[in-house]
Amino acid sequence: MTDALLLLSAMLTGAVRVFAGLFLIHRLLSVRRPDRKSIAAGLAGALILAALLYLTHAAGFYQMALEAVLIAACAHWLQRAELRMSLFVSIFFEIGLSFWQFLLAAGLGVLFRAQDVLNARTLAGQSAVWLLHGLLAGLAVCLSQKEIERKTAFQAISAVALAGFLAVITLSEQTVLDIPDDTLYMWTILAVVLMMSALVFNINRQYEAEKELAKLKSEQAELLERDYTAINRAYQVNAKLFHDFHNHIGVLRQFLTHEKYGEAIRYLDELQAPVQNLTAAVWTGDETADYLINSKAAAAATSGVQLRIQVEFPRRTNIRSVDLCAILGNLLDNALEAARQVPEPEERYVALTIRRIHQMLVVKVENSFSSAPIQENGGLKTTKTEGGLHGWGLKSAQTAAEKYDGMVQAGVSGDVFRAVATLSYQGIEDLQA
């Protein structure tokens, strides 16, 4: 083949590899989807790199190494991927491509009994190269359009690595092509390395997921502790009032005995004030959840936020108070925080709606906001900058909802932010009936 065609082939195949590598990292590491900027940077780098390596007649090893660095760099700086993991994925991606390019070339050589298929500088060798990259381009398009679960991706990668190992073992038994034993031995070792790398990657991702879950549970515990502290204070106020009840009755009796009705009314107003904020209404029938809603209502009134509440809550369900409070507390906290930032006082509002639909409980919280939340990695990123517990509210609510085969969805519709939690519940018998 002519040098011009080989150069064009090297540039185009390099572009396909980089394009597929960026989307592979996007799916495996759950990072930002490659945008036009990252794709353009990757493709430009691939074209320049392929041209320089071809003109300098560099070995294939340098092409693999430099392309892996290029993919990892683009993923790190433009897709916000962790550099260490993106470099790990890109290195084994390049090794796997070289391995399968050899297997396809050898397979075609055995099939057509053509030794020159192993030489990538021949027309037959280029057919194997483009067969692989045609499949890779199809995979890249699939990765760019279809969501793939992490478990499914791991199974597919493991299957490909195992198939490659079996293929190279089978290839060692053929007698059609003259393949040096050292070459077969090298590719056999690399096939084992690829299978081990898939296993190590899966273990690492499981560890990261468990670490994030542990952190989420820790943050959820802190959030719940904060709400229960407020509820505990409410109980203490009630306990104090009931403890002093006989004293209050005695004072009121003296007022009424001496016909001091005005003083009696004022005394009753003073007694009612601390109780009114705590027991304003019964919303769910769950005492803990009702205290929580009433405390949020008091916080909303203090902040000048209008809180609208509509509740239709089923009695005697298997939904635990701690999980219900985790959902209500986090969703209402986020909503109140956003509504407080609205400049116009009359536009600050939060609406809580709880409805039951057959055996499904729907908790919906809507609120006004001053600036829309940021979408990142398929989720919502907190706009708060002071750190701490911020950003864990929706995750904590999601964790609680998943215990009841539910989920939490959040998004913006016009000038309203809406978070909806759905839970499947079961009725339980009233033991006192």
Side-chain angles (χ1 to χ4, degrees):
M1 292 184 67
T2 64
D3 289 341
L5 289 177
L6 289 174
L7 175 59
L8 179 62
S9 176
M11 296 174 69
L12 292 178
T13 53
V16 171
R17 286 192 295 272
V18 171
F19 180 78
L22 293 176
F23 276 99
L24 183 65
I25 289 177
H26 161 59
R27 292 303 185 194
L28 291 182
L29 303 184
S30 301
V31 297
R32 181 184 300 175
R33 178 187 175 89
D35 54 13
R36 293 182 179 179
K37 184 179 179 180
S38 59
I39 293 175
L43 295 182
L47 295 176
I48 295 172
L49 186 61
L52 290 176
L53 292 174
Y54 183 84
L55 294 176
T56 56
H57 303 286
F61 168 78
Y62 294 103
Q63 181 183 21
M64 290 170 51
L66 292 176
E67 278 187 359
V69 172
L70 174 64
I71 294 171
C74 290
H76 175 64
W77 279 298
L78 300 176
Q79 295 177 237
R80 300 294 186 266
E82 184 186 3
L83 182 59
R84 177 178 59 88
M85 289 305 300
S86 58
L87 190 59
F88 177 90
V89 172
S90 59
I91 287 174
F92 286 98
F93 169 69
E94 289 286 340
I95 293 175
L97 286 179
S98 299
F99 176 57
W100 273 99
Q101 184 170 317
F102 165 75
L103 288 179
L104 285 176
L108 291 176
V110 172
L111 181 63
F112 295 105
R113 297 181 176 274
Q115 183 72 32
D116 60 345
V117 175
L118 295 175
N119 184 0
R121 298 183 68 86
T122 64
L123 180 61
Q126 283 293 303
S127 64
V129 171
W130 276 104
L131 175 60
L132 173 66
H133 287 80
L135 295 173
L136 184 61
L139 175 63
V141 172
C142 180
L143 290 174
S144 66
Q145 296 179 351
K146 185 179 179 181
E147 291 286 344
I148 300 177
E149 293 183 0
R150 187 170 295 169
K151 182 179 180 181
T152 303
F154 169 70
Q155 292 173 344
I157 292 172
S158 300
V160 170
L162 179 60
F165 175 74
L166 296 176
V168 75
I169 295 298
T170 304
L171 193 62
S172 64
E173 301 297 327
Q174 61 83 33
T175 58
V176 176
L177 297 182
D178 182 18
I179 303 176
D181 291 338
D182 290 346
T183 301
L184 289 173
Y185 183 67
M186 178 191 70
W187 287 118
T188 302
I189 293 176
L190 285 178
V192 175
V193 170
L194 286 173
M195 288 191 294
M196 293 301 297
S197 67
L199 180 61
V200 169
F201 176 81
N202 186 57
I203 292 174
N204 177 268
R205 299 312 292 171
Q206 288 181 344
Y207 168 75
E208 293 293 336
E210 290 174 0
K211 185 170 70 172
E212 182 177 354
L213 180 60
K215 185 176 181 180
L216 174 58
K217 288 182 177 179
S218 175
E219 302 291 355
Q220 183 182 24
E222 291 187 39
L223 289 167
L224 289 174
E225 182 180 0
R226 181 194 60 192
D227 286 332
Y228 275 109
T229 299
I231 293 171
N232 186 52
R233 286 197 297 267
Y235 276 117
Q236 290 175 358
V237 172
N238 264 347
K240 183 177 182 300
L241 289 174
F242 282 111
H243 179 268
D244 297 336
F245 186 71
H246 65 284
N247 295 326
H248 299 311
I249 291 296
V251 173
L252 287 171
R253 182 179 180 84
Q254 290 296 320
F255 281 139
L256 295 175
T257 300
H258 295 86
E259 298 183 354
K260 297 182 178 180
Y261 303 118
E263 288 84 347
I265 293 174
R266 285 193 294 271
Y267 192 82
L268 284 173
D269 290 339
E270 292 177 3
L271 289 178
Q272 187 182 17
V275 182
Q276 196 168 19
N277 292 331
L278 302 175
T279 56
V282 175
W283 303 106
T284 66
D286 184 302
E287 188 176 9
T288 306
D290 288 338
Y291 270 116
L292 178 63
I293 295 175
N294 285 316
S295 67
K296 301 303 178 185
T302 303
S303 304
V305 177
Q306 182 183 2
L307 180 60
R308 311 164 189 165
I309 302 175
Q310 293 183 347
V311 175
E312 180 187 332
F313 195 82
R315 294 183 179 275
R316 297 186 294 276
T317 71
N318 64 325
I319 300 176
R320 298 170 59 216
S321 297
V322 63
D323 297 321
L324 181 61
C325 288
I327 296 171
L328 289 173
N330 286 300
L331 296 188
L332 288 173
D333 280 344
N334 289 346
L336 288 170
E337 179 67 25
R340 290 189 190 104
Q341 298 174 8
V342 176
E344 298 79 8
E346 65 277 4
E347 295 183 7
R348 300 172 187 164
Y349 75 90
V350 173
L352 168 64
T353 304
I354 301 179
R355 287 286 181 267
R356 57 178 180 178
I357 304 174
H358 302 297
Q359 294 301 110
M360 183 76 68
L361 184 69
V362 180
V363 179
K364 180 172 67 174
V365 178
E366 298 175 311
N367 61 272
S368 55
F369 58 87
S370 59
S371 58
I374 302 170
Q375 292 278 350
E376 184 174 280
N377 299 336
L380 295 172
K381 179 182 178 182
T382 179
T383 56
K384 304 170 188 175
T385 58
E386 60 269 31
L389 301 179
H390 297 320
W392 291 95
L394 289 177
K395 291 183 179 180
S396 180
Q398 176 69 27
T399 301
E402 287 175 352
K403 296 179 182 180
Y404 304 91
D405 298 324
M407 63 186 301
V408 176
Q409 294 178 305
V412 177
S413 176
D415 58 354
V416 176
F417 181 84
R418 180 179 296 111
V420 180
T422 55
L423 301 85
S424 297
Y425 70 88
Q426 296 178 353
I428 58 176
E429 295 182 0
D430 190 354
L431 299 179
Q432 296 178 351

